[in-house]
Amino acid sequence: MEFIHEDDGRITARDLESGVASFGETKAEALQMLAEALACHEGAGKPVTDEDLEEWGLDDVESGDTELPEFMQ
């Protein structure tokens, strides 16, 4: 594991074995976020459902669409 101190003050924690990284305002927060990212990387996350896509406004997005969904604008 390595910690990277970013120019904006955040700290990135990176797992050297998997390459997964996450960040936080403190080392403790970065580690907590990294633990969550590693859990998802290892399959502990839940699959995205059609209901999730609809809630996020992505249910009608076609491959190759260039317009960003509303929540990303």
Side-chain angles (χ1 to χ4, degrees):
M1 163 132 25
E2 72 177 340
F3 289 102
I4 303 163
H5 295 268
E6 305 293 348
D7 292 338
D8 65 0
R10 293 185 295 180
I11 299 172
T12 297
R14 186 170 79 91
D15 178 64
L16 298 174
E17 186 175 315
S18 67
V20 174
S22 196
F23 65 90
E25 299 297 321
T26 65
K27 282 186 176 182
E29 183 179 354
L31 280 173
Q32 180 181 9
M33 298 302 288
L34 177 60
E36 291 178 21
L38 284 168
C40 289
H41 176 73
E42 295 169 357
K46 67 176 188 163
V48 175
T49 66
D50 289 338
E51 290 79 22
D52 291 330
L53 293 175
E54 186 176 335
E55 179 183 336
W56 301 332
L58 299 174
D59 56 325
D60 61 351
V61 175
E62 296 289 329
S63 178
D65 276 355
T66 57
E67 187 174 329
L68 291 173
E70 184 178 318
F71 78 95
M72 295 180 75
Q73 295 177 6

